[in-house]
């Protein structure tokens, strides 16, 4: 990594991420399901933008931990990154701060650099936790990044309430990549709107599959759309 991301060279960061991964696997016994048996192999070593639903603060640690082979960075609200102690841990876990309340484009430049160096990204496009019983509308940032870099978007559905140790296993269904190839006669911003709508529907469909197979776990107040 370049000097803009010195934490990647930090042995403390590497050790900390391993400890987080072990903790996630011990507490939540994750079960990661791929929509196609070949998908895990196809994603190996390929930078992608993972997008997922968001109902719990643990999502930001859970998803990078279970997808560690993709070496993902994760977008995190700037206010969390500025918290003493917590913010340090977030940055050690490859967090990228984003200011959702202002016109902050710094995350975008960092994300482009990360993708160009072969790393993946985890983004929760709802922009915050869902508290109204459904998957909310996705914001276009992830899709704009995908449209301009040609990086595929991989939709993921997180299922469960993080019942620790002896509770229900936390699950995630990883869907087929949505390829990004912006037509020459179309603005990336317009193409991004199409991509994010497709991504949002894909995550909803994946979550619907989890509901059909495992039932309503109470993750949402209602089953949503």
């Amino acid at each position: 990594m370049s000097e803009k991301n010195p934490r990647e060279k930090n042995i403390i960061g590497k050790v900390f991420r391993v400890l987080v991964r072990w903790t996630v696997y011990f507490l939540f016994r994750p079960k990661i399901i791929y929509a196609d048996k070949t998908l895990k192999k196809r994603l190996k070593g390929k930078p992608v933008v993972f997008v997922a639903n968001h109902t719990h603060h643990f999502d930001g640690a859970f998803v990078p931990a279970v997808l560690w082979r993709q070496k993902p960075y994760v977008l995190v609200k700037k206010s969390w990154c500025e918290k003493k102690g917590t913010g340090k841990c977030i940055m050690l876990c490859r967090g990228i701060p984003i200011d959702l309340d202002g016109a902050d484009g710094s995350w975008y430049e960092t994300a482009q650099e990360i993708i160009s160096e072969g790393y993946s990204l985890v983004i929760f496009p709802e922009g915050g936790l869902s508290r109204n019983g459904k998957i909310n509308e996705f914001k276009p940032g992830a899709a704009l990044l995908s449209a301009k870099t040609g990086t595929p978007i991989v939709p993921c559905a997180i299922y469960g309430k993080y019942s620790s140790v002896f509770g229900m296993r936390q699950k995630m269904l990883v869907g087929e990549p949505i390829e990004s190839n912006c037509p020459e006669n179309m603005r990336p911003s317009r193409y991004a709107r199409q991509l994010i709508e497709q991504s949002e529907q894909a995550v909803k469909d994946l979550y619907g599959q989890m509901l059909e197979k495992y039932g309503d776990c109470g993750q949402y107040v209602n089953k949503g759309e």
Side-chain angles (χ1 to χ4, degrees), residues 50-54 59-60 63-64 74-75 122-128 158:
F50 292 99
V51 298
N53 56 315
H54 195 22
D59 293 338
V63 179
V74 59
L75 252 62
V122 173
I123 299 178
F124 302 100
E126 292 170 270
I158 303 170

Side-chain angles (χ1 to χ4, degrees), residues 9-222:
K9 299 179 181 179
N10 190 335
I11 187 63
I12 296 176
K14 293 180 180 179
V15 171
F16 186 77
R17 289 192 294 274
V18 171
L19 291 175
V20 169
R21 185 162 72 244
W22 287 352
T23 301
V24 165
Y25 273 84
F26 173 74
L27 290 177
F28 307 123
R29 300 176 298 123
K31 181 176 181 180
I32 309 307
I33 308 161
Y34 290 86
D36 184 275
K37 292 181 180 179
T38 68
L39 183 54
K40 184 177 180 180
K41 184 176 181 180
R42 283 189 280 132
L43 291 178
K44 186 177 180 180
K46 183 179 182 180
V48 299
V49 178
F50 292 99
V51 298
N53 56 315
H54 195 22
T55 60
H56 202 290
H57 290 304
F58 285 168
D59 293 338
F62 176 79
V63 179
V66 299
L67 295 175
W68 65 273
R69 290 181 178 84
Q70 296 295 130
K71 301 183 291 184
Y73 282 71
V74 59
L75 252 62
V76 182
K77 193 173 181 180
K78 187 176 180 180
S79 59
W80 279 96
C81 296
E82 292 174 342
K83 291 179 183 291
K84 188 177 181 180
T86 301
K88 178 65 174 178
C89 293
I90 289 172
M91 298 308 290
L92 287 172
C93 286
R94 296 183 177 142
I96 300 176
I98 177 172
D99 184 2
L100 296 175
D101 301 317
D104 178 18
S106 61
W107 74 270
Y108 187 80
E109 295 178 4
T110 303
Q112 282 185 304
E113 179 186 355
I114 285 168
I115 288 173
S116 71
E117 295 180 0
Y119 293 80
S120 292
L121 226 65
V122 173
I123 299 178
F124 302 100
E126 292 170 270
L129 300 180
S130 173
R131 303 182 186 278
N132 60 1
K134 64 179 182 179
I135 297 174
N136 293 315
E137 181 180 357
F138 281 12
K139 293 177 171 57
L144 187 59
L145 179 66
S146 174
K148 288 193 174 182
T149 62
T151 309
I153 292 177
V154 178
C156 303
I158 303 170
Y159 175 92
K161 297 178 67 177
Y162 293 98
S163 303
S164 60
V165 186
F166 299 114
M168 183 183 69
R169 295 178 68 181
Q170 191 74 11
K171 302 175 180 67
M172 187 169 74
L173 177 56
V174 182
E176 283 287 341
I178 299 171
E179 298 297 333
S180 176
N181 186 15
C182 183
E184 293 183 1
N185 61 348
M186 183 180 292
R187 294 192 307 273
S189 57
R190 182 180 176 187
Y191 183 65
R193 286 196 294 271
Q194 296 180 6
L195 274 180
I196 204 63
E197 289 174 2
Q198 186 178 356
S199 302
E200 180 183 331
Q201 189 58 54
V203 171
K204 288 179 178 179
D205 290 344
L206 290 170
Y207 191 80
Q209 293 176 36
M210 300 290 271
L211 283 177
E212 186 175 347
K213 185 172 183 178
Y214 297 107
D216 184 3
C217 65
Q219 179 180 3
Y220 291 95
V221 177
N222 301 306

Side-chain angles (χ1 to χ4, degrees), residues 1-8 73 109-110 113 117:
M1 295 292 287
S2 70
E3 292 182 1
K4 291 183 179 180
N5 296 288
R7 59 187 176 276
E8 186 59 36
Y73 282 71
E109 295 178 4
T110 303
E113 179 186 355
E117 295 180 0

